[in-house]
Amino acid sequence: MGSKMKIQNICKLCLMAIVGFFLCSNIEAGELPWEKALPFENATIHYSVSGMGHGEEIVYVRDYGKEQATYLDSTTKIMGMAVRERSVEIVDVDFVYSYDLQAQEGTKNVNPQKYMVKAYANLTAEEKNKVQKNAIEMGGTLAEGMGGVLQQNAIELLGFGCDKIDMMGGGVIYLLHGTDLPLKAEMNMMGMKTSIVATSIDIGAVDPKYFMHPKGIVAIVDLEGDAMAETMGVQIINALKDPKAAKKGFAAAVNGTRLESMAEEDKQKLEQGAELLKGIQNIFGQ
């Protein structure tokens, strides 16, 4: 499995957990971040990609967001050469499958939410109540701890209210209110700016073919990404259970990864992921 795709997957898993934690400020009593459903059962969402890369991304949604398939087709110019990126990501309640159609490679990761659900299920009734209470009270604090800002219902896109998250480093994400579904994202990686904006949301049945895995590509289990996601899931629940007693740093899994053999771009992506995790760590006074 190529280093670039693997590191991107690891960082994405970390960010998924972070975004889910952001949403704690939107949940109601007795509800947990991973239980937030989308306001539509099935939908097809088209996005335009501009900036460093140009193209289109399409997200197919089923079962109120429990299943999602994302298709990306974009072209980026690097040193005058056009580099095409074609990828498919299929997410269900158990796994996240990522496929690079150009390189004919794929990875398989456990859905990070499963680790949080498992950690939560192991708590006592009293501890679960503490987690829910702390999640509501501390959700808004996360943005400040990461050097960012969370603003609910900041703008409206395609008729839907969106929560705005200003990320550390200059990135901005607009999530469909109260969910983890982005409708707009502006990112800056090593001076290369990319914008992804939803252009249409078609609510209705989705053809099952979009959830079929690409033929001829075997998804390799990404043990490193799974280990990082599991560590984060357990630590987030433990920290919510008793913030003052949380002793282990969220960035440990990232800092323990060997960087010597990675490309410079991959190193920066992983290091940025580490900084985001350290931001969460700081919130709990570690």
Side-chain angles (χ1 to χ4, degrees):
M1 191 69 207
S3 170
K4 181 176 181 180
M5 187 173 183
K6 187 170 184 178
I7 296 304
Q8 287 177 332
N9 287 344
I10 293 172
C11 291
K12 184 170 184 178
L13 288 171
C14 296
L15 290 174
M16 286 173 68
I18 292 169
V19 169
F21 199 84
F22 263 126
L23 299 175
C24 288
S25 60
N26 292 332
I27 68 175
E28 300 174 355
E31 187 177 34
L32 292 169
W34 53 79
E35 295 174 339
K36 295 296 291 188
L38 298 179
F40 37 76
E41 182 177 5
N42 305 294
T44 300
I45 308 173
H46 290 259
Y47 298 80
S48 65
V49 180
S50 60
M52 186 66 182
H54 293 270
E56 181 182 41
E57 182 173 273
I58 305 175
V59 176
Y60 300 95
V61 176
R62 295 197 303 195
D63 196 11
Y64 297 97
K66 290 182 179 179
E67 295 179 272
Q68 296 185 31
T70 302
Y71 287 72
L72 172 66
D73 190 344
S74 68
T75 301
T76 302
K77 283 193 175 182
I78 301 177
M79 299 181 66
M81 296 182 60
V83 178
R84 188 179 182 187
E85 179 180 359
R86 293 188 305 131
S87 64
V88 176
E89 181 182 80
I90 299 175
V91 180
D92 58 35
V93 294
D94 294 313
F95 297 103
V96 177
Y97 299 88
S98 302
Y99 297 98
D100 184 334
L101 301 184
Q102 292 295 101
Q104 292 290 290
E105 297 177 335
T107 57
K108 176 183 178 181
N109 290 95
V110 174
N111 189 322
Q113 291 183 354
K114 290 192 67 175
Y115 294 122
M116 296 184 70
V117 171
K118 180 180 178 181
Y120 178 78
N122 290 332
L123 301 178
T124 65
E126 182 180 358
E127 290 172 334
K128 289 178 180 178
N129 288 333
K130 288 182 180 179
V131 167
Q132 294 174 14
K133 180 176 180 292
N134 288 333
I136 295 172
E137 292 178 352
M138 299 180 65
T141 307
L142 179 61
E144 296 179 4
M146 293 173 61
V149 177
L150 170 62
Q151 182 182 353
Q152 297 188 42
N153 283 314
I155 64 171
E156 184 175 292
L157 290 173
L158 301 176
F160 292 92
C162 292
D163 301 330
K164 178 183 178 182
I165 299 178
D166 290 296
M167 302 295 289
M168 180 175 59
V172 181
I173 301 175
Y174 295 89
L175 304 172
L176 195 156
H177 176 60
T179 76
D180 60 354
L181 178 68
L183 293 185
K184 181 178 180 180
E186 297 173 348
M187 297 161 284
N188 189 339
M189 180 69 68
M190 298 179 65
M192 298 181 291
K193 297 182 179 180
T194 300
S195 176
I196 303 176
V197 183
T199 57
S200 68
I201 300 178
D202 302 318
I203 299 175
V206 175
D207 194 320
K209 70 179 182 180
Y210 295 114
F211 288 84
M212 296 179 64
H213 296 249
K215 294 181 179 180
I217 304 178
V218 178
I220 305 299
V221 175
D222 180 8
L223 296 177
E224 188 175 8
D226 286 345
M228 180 180 294
E230 182 173 18
T231 297
M232 287 190 61
V234 171
Q235 290 182 347
I236 287 174
I237 294 298
N238 286 341
L240 284 172
K241 178 181 66 176
D242 189 350
K244 294 182 180 179
K247 297 179 180 180
K248 294 184 179 180
F250 282 94
V254 176
N255 292 336
T257 303
R258 294 180 62 84
L259 300 178
E260 292 87 346
S261 60
M262 295 181 187
E264 191 61 35
E265 180 181 356
D266 293 335
K267 289 181 183 179
Q268 181 164 347
K269 289 176 182 176
L270 193 60
E271 288 166 356
Q272 287 183 348
E275 289 302 314
L276 291 173
L277 298 180
K278 288 177 182 177
I280 299 179
Q281 175 184 338
N282 292 337
I283 292 173
F284 300 108
Q286 298 178 44

